[in-house]
Amino acid sequence: MTISDTPYIDAPLAQPALNNPPKLGAHLIADGVDIAVEAPHATNVWACFVDPDNNHAEHRVALRRGLYGVWAGHIAGITAGTFYGFRVDGRWDPAAGHVYNPAKLLLDPYARAVGRTPIIDPRLYGYVMDDDHTAHLDQRDPRDSVEVAGLGVIIADEPTACAHPYTPWDETVIYEAHVVGLTKTLPGVPEELRGTYAGLGHPATITHLKSLGISAIELLPIHAKLSEPFLIHKGLENYWGYNTLSFFAPEPSYASAAGRAAGAQGVIDEVKNMVAALHAAGIEVLLDVVYNHSCEAGTDGVTVSWRGLDSSLYYRHDSTNPGALKDTTGCGNSFDFRRTSVIRMTLDSLRYWVEVFGVDGFRFDLAVTLGREGDNFNPNHPLYSAMATDPVLSTVKLINEPWDVGYGGWRTGQFPVPTADWNDRFRDTLRSFWLSEPAAIVHGGHGSDLRDLATRMAGSADLFGHGRLPGGRGVHASVNFVTAHDGFSLNDLTAYSHKHNDANLEDNRDGSDNNLSWNHGVEGSASEAIMTMRRKSARNLMACLILAAGTPMLTAGDEILKTQHGNNNAYCQNSPLSWLDWELGEHEENMLATTSFLLQLRREHAVFRPTQFFTGSPREGDALRDMEWLDASGNQMQDYTWFDPQARLVQMLRSGRGISRDALVIINGQAQAEQVTLPWGRGTDFELMWASQWERPREHTEHIAPGGHLTLAPFSVAVLLGGSVES
């Protein structure tokens, strides 16, 4: 079928929308559906209702042009479960950024369910794409895409979801996970539910999260996605999901077979049930969301939605070359957050997921793009002002990935209240101190001094303590992490000095080369002596992550020494390489016990969960300073010592201020064992709770008097509690 034999002009005109003003998207009302879409530069817009089981029979209705470029209408006889899309006509002028093509069926940007994910095919492109993948960007393609296009599904408006846990920031521990990877092999989850929303909400999954001490699970994107053509041609897929097809519809492939068989509503219900089950266990659900770009890629990408509606409205275009897109995401396109339409779509999507699905917050991928006004980043961007003042969004957790790949794209600490940031300075400092610098030290070199490490352990006040508010954005604005979905796992940080991404079929060119990792002498498999050192390094990193001031984020699998065999960019690996392996040996069980113990320590002792930045002075009549840095002899660190790269041992004494026991964390970043003299503190014994040289937490503790001695192993951490909680 081609444009010439498709009777668009003869399509009947829709009745006026019953909603006034019309609501974007498709909404059942009265005897049919109100439908509206924004396409200001279009000359004609048709709502198309498709029956894929009947040779893709299509019922087309012309929509009415309204104010501000919104096309809308009411169509009688349309019911829930109907598949639909849009066809849009207008200028074909690629050099000016207009690429309208009515032969292409377009997914509604506000579709709340996807009945069919687009099928990569030459017909999916607005321009002529030959079968040999040769692109003719100046030629409008006449072939109809109805058989391969994405299809939205009409669903009934959903009621508001259940109440949120609203976990305080100081009690928040985030666990970043993938719906599929977390449960694909998890014992206790029925086979038919593994790797699904239902599997994630299953009691076996929740039991692991609760026993570990997790308060919030941050899910890699569950918005409907489309894998990139180059991956499809290699037989791979975009496993992580950072290639969004719809900001309102959940990814259908993550639903169980039973959920998918129940249709679009079945998928939605499974997501809602997953969230409700996690809420019942007191666990918040945070979503990783990708509003910075879409799956349509660059100017040579597919036409599945926004591009065909109005590329110049939704995407950033080069002002000197309107036919070219400006890309600050590295994915081919970037949404233009100078546009009210883009901001409204983002806010509408966020509120929908909070109100209908019940999610408790969001992590914004490449968030600097969301705050750009043209080429410049505005920390008080209208989008962020809107979220901060929105009665719904201001009550949930908002977390930024504070960078993109554009000019001036690194903005850690520069986003506004009430949002938090992934703290990459924390990540890099901890990796350097425990891995790349020890690698240099054991080979005769030296590491850095203690200043940066101390700053990160104390909450990164240099990044988050500034601003008009006292205390700036606050200590919990720092989301501390050592690993995330992209990059080495915690285990692999200690086992590989170089990436090994051959399985991605990109000749090992993809993924970062700046890993700050250390293989401890041998790449990959090693002797038990080396493996022992690696496990201690992993425990050092885990302890500092959990006990530092700020909000800790763990990556799923780090608690069981997950390996990806050196792949630091497993975005296209929906395979055992990415899935968690739940067949645990002794060392994996030990790491799980260690992580659980450290999180329990944090949970039970408020001294590890400060709500304000430290001042270095006593507070409220306390005899101890709120934070004190001491040397190996138990005396206050001398100023010059902070600048000595050879002085890599420090005692961090935190006051519990009568609310909690005091905490003493001793860090030995030296290649030799060191005897430490414990400080006076409150004049009472310290209790040795944990040391990273232990493979597993000990059942019995050791009491050491002030002025007593403790020997720390090379490159290790010890945690002690002192004083007592006042009655």
Side-chain angles (χ1 to χ4, degrees):
M1 183 179 292
T2 65
I3 294 176
S4 60
D5 58 20
T6 305
Y8 300 105
I9 304 303
D10 296 334
L13 182 64
Q15 295 297 312
L18 299 183
N19 288 310
N20 188 20
K23 297 190 295 182
L24 293 174
H27 301 274
L28 292 172
I29 185 172
D31 63 341
V33 65
D34 268 12
I35 195 164
V37 67
E38 198 165 6
H41 291 98
T43 55
N44 289 285
V45 177
W46 298 268
C48 305
F49 304 95
V50 179
D51 184 356
D53 296 326
N54 184 23
N55 199 30
H56 292 87
E58 188 175 338
H59 172 54
R60 306 186 189 97
V61 180
L63 298 181
R64 296 169 176 264
R65 187 185 191 104
L67 293 175
Y68 315 121
V70 175
W71 297 74
H74 179 78
I75 301 96
I78 302 299
T79 59
T82 303
F83 288 28
Y84 78 107
F86 296 113
R87 294 185 186 273
V88 183
D89 203 0
R91 290 170 58 193
W92 176 261
D93 189 355
H98 296 294
V99 286
Y100 289 103
N101 189 339
K104 308 305 170 183
L105 188 69
L106 307 174
L107 184 69
D108 179 4
Y110 277 67
R112 289 169 291 166
V114 171
R116 183 179 69 198
T117 299
I119 301 167
I120 299 300
D121 182 275
R123 289 169 289 176
L124 209 59
Y125 296 83
Y127 58 85
V128 174
M129 169 72 80
D130 293 342
D131 291 336
D132 64 357
H133 310 304
T134 300
H136 304 275
L137 299 179
D138 58 338
Q139 300 178 31
R140 184 159 73 169
D141 181 53
R143 292 170 291 185
D144 199 306
S145 70
V146 66
E147 295 181 355
V148 297
L151 297 173
V153 184
I154 305 289
I155 64 167
D157 286 344
E158 295 283 305
T160 301
C162 59
H164 304 270
Y166 291 125
T167 305
W169 271 108
D170 67 298
E171 298 176 12
T172 297
V173 176
I174 300 172
Y175 184 81
E176 190 200 35
H178 191 287
V179 168
V180 175
L182 178 59
T183 66
K184 191 68 174 178
T185 69
L186 181 60
V189 176
E191 182 68 32
E192 66 273 14
L193 300 184
R194 293 184 175 184
T196 70
Y197 300 121
L200 198 145
H202 189 272
T205 309
I206 292 174
T207 295
H208 174 71
L209 298 175
K210 291 293 290 183
S211 64
L212 185 59
I214 299 303
S215 77
I217 186 167
E218 181 178 301
L219 298 177
L220 269 65
I222 66 169
H223 286 168
K225 63 177 181 176
L226 176 66
S227 292
E228 294 88 339
F230 77 89
L231 289 177
I232 297 295
H233 296 150
K234 293 179 179 180
L236 299 172
E237 64 174 278
N238 190 317
Y239 168 67
W240 285 349
Y242 292 89
N243 212 41
T244 307
L245 172 67
S246 172
F247 295 119
F248 292 81
E251 169 55 36
S253 69
Y254 297 164
S256 64
R260 295 194 304 272
Q265 190 62 54
V267 174
I268 290 171
D269 289 344
E270 189 169 317
V271 178
K272 294 177 70 174
N273 291 337
M274 172 195 74
V275 174
L278 289 161
H279 281 180
I283 299 173
E284 292 185 309
V285 179
L286 313 179
L287 299 187
D288 198 332
V289 286
V290 190
Y291 295 106
N292 57 80
H293 77 282
S294 82
C295 64
E296 291 186 308
T299 54
D300 58 349
V302 294
T303 294
V304 296
S305 184
W306 302 272
R307 172 175 284 128
L309 289 167
D310 195 330
S311 182
S312 65
L313 172 71
Y314 292 104
Y315 295 129
R316 287 191 64 195
H317 286 252
D318 190 328
S319 58
T320 62
N321 180 15
L325 296 175
K326 297 209 77 172
D327 176 19
T328 58
T329 68
C331 301
N333 65 63
S334 301
F335 280 109
D336 193 341
F337 282 87
R338 294 172 298 183
R339 310 295 188 191
T340 301
S341 302
V342 173
I343 293 176
R344 178 172 58 239
M345 177 181 68
T346 302
L347 294 172
D348 287 347
S349 168
L350 292 169
R351 279 191 294 265
Y352 177 70
W353 283 92
V354 173
E355 294 183 310
V356 172
F357 290 95
V359 304
D360 306 286
F362 305 92
R363 177 266 192 187
F364 299 107
D365 181 67
L366 300 181
V368 172
T369 292
L370 279 60
R372 285 192 182 273
E373 293 177 339
D375 290 329
N376 299 316
F377 172 74
N378 177 8
N380 297 305
H381 191 282
L383 173 66
Y384 280 87
S385 296
M387 290 191 292
T389 56
D390 187 277
V392 174
L393 301 180
S394 62
T395 67
V396 300
K397 292 182 169 70
L398 305 172
I399 302 170
N400 306 295
E401 182 184 43
W403 53 80
D404 67 9
V405 300
Y407 171 76
W410 227 261
R411 299 287 176 169
T412 307
Q414 299 178 37
F415 283 79
V417 169
T419 66
D421 295 358
W422 272 21
N423 189 348
D424 56 299
R425 287 284 298 277
F426 182 96
R427 175 199 64 197
D428 293 350
T429 297
L430 269 291
R431 289 188 183 189
S432 296
F433 186 85
W434 289 119
L435 295 174
S436 62
E437 292 174 6
I441 291 171
V442 299
H443 288 93
H446 63 82
S448 63
D449 56 50
L450 290 164
R451 287 174 295 164
D452 206 22
L453 177 73
T455 302
R456 303 306 142 223
M457 293 298 295
S460 296
D462 59 332
L463 298 173
F464 301 99
H466 304 291
R468 295 182 179 179
L469 295 174
R473 291 168 65 192
V475 66
H476 298 111
S478 176
V479 175
N480 300 330
F481 69 109
V482 173
T483 66
H485 62 276
D486 54 342
F488 282 142
S489 67
L490 180 63
N491 179 81
D492 288 2
L493 278 175
T494 72
Y496 297 92
S497 294
H498 307 284
K499 65 187 181 185
H500 297 267
N501 297 353
D502 302 280
N504 299 351
L505 306 181
E506 298 179 39
D507 297 325
N508 207 36
R509 295 190 303 268
D510 62 302
S512 175
D513 292 311
N514 182 33
N515 297 294
L516 300 174
S517 59
W518 178 31
N519 64 16
H520 292 74
V522 178
E523 196 81 350
S525 299
S527 67
E528 180 54 30
I530 289 178
M531 297 294 284
T532 298
M533 291 191 295
R534 289 175 177 177
R535 291 192 296 271
K536 185 176 65 173
S537 293
R539 292 191 294 271
N540 289 334
L541 288 163
M542 184 65 78
C544 288
L545 169 62
I546 291 173
L547 302 180
T551 303
M553 184 188 79
L554 283 66
T555 304
D558 281 351
E559 76 276 20
I560 55 173
L561 296 175
K562 175 183 186 287
T563 180
Q564 294 179 170
H565 303 289
N567 190 317
N568 73 349
N569 189 37
Y571 77 105
C572 56
Q573 298 297 325
N574 188 358
S575 70
L577 186 72
S578 292
W579 306 336
L580 272 64
D581 181 358
W582 292 101
E583 293 187 6
L584 308 184
E586 177 186 0
H587 299 307
E588 291 77 19
E589 292 280 7
N590 287 342
M591 188 65 185
L592 178 58
T594 294
T595 307
S596 299
F597 176 82
L598 290 169
L599 286 172
Q600 180 181 0
L601 206 62
R602 182 183 190 275
R603 183 169 61 253
E604 293 180 350
H605 301 280
V607 68
F608 295 116
R609 298 182 279 106
T611 57
Q612 302 174 26
F613 288 113
F614 299 104
T615 65
S617 301
R619 290 186 180 179
E620 301 172 3
D622 192 357
L624 290 183
R625 296 182 176 94
D626 58 2
M627 165 78 83
E628 193 166 9
W629 298 99
L630 311 166
D631 60 20
S633 62
N635 298 316
Q636 187 172 353
M637 287 274 285
Q638 298 297 309
D639 288 346
Y640 66 84
T641 310
W642 288 109
F643 298 88
D644 183 359
Q646 305 299 322
R648 286 171 56 88
L649 187 148
V650 67
Q651 301 190 67
M652 176 178 65
L653 179 62
R654 294 184 189 175
S655 170
R657 299 168 57 194
I659 301 170
S660 164
R661 295 179 67 180
D662 304 326
L664 180 65
V665 179
I666 310 175
I667 296 173
N668 182 14
Q670 302 173 145
Q672 65 276 356
E674 184 84 22
Q675 186 182 76
V676 174
T677 301
L678 300 193
W680 180 253
R682 299 187 191 275
T684 58
D685 286 358
F686 287 93
E687 188 176 4
L688 178 61
M689 305 300 295
W690 179 84
S692 65
Q693 65 199 68
W694 302 345
E695 289 277 1
R696 187 179 182 90
R698 295 180 179 175
E699 296 182 3
H700 304 289
T701 58
E702 175 185 352
H703 290 262
I704 307 173
H709 302 297
L710 176 66
T711 299
L712 264 72
F715 302 125
S716 69
V717 178
V719 181
L720 301 92
L721 292 177
S724 61
V725 179
E726 296 175 1
S727 59

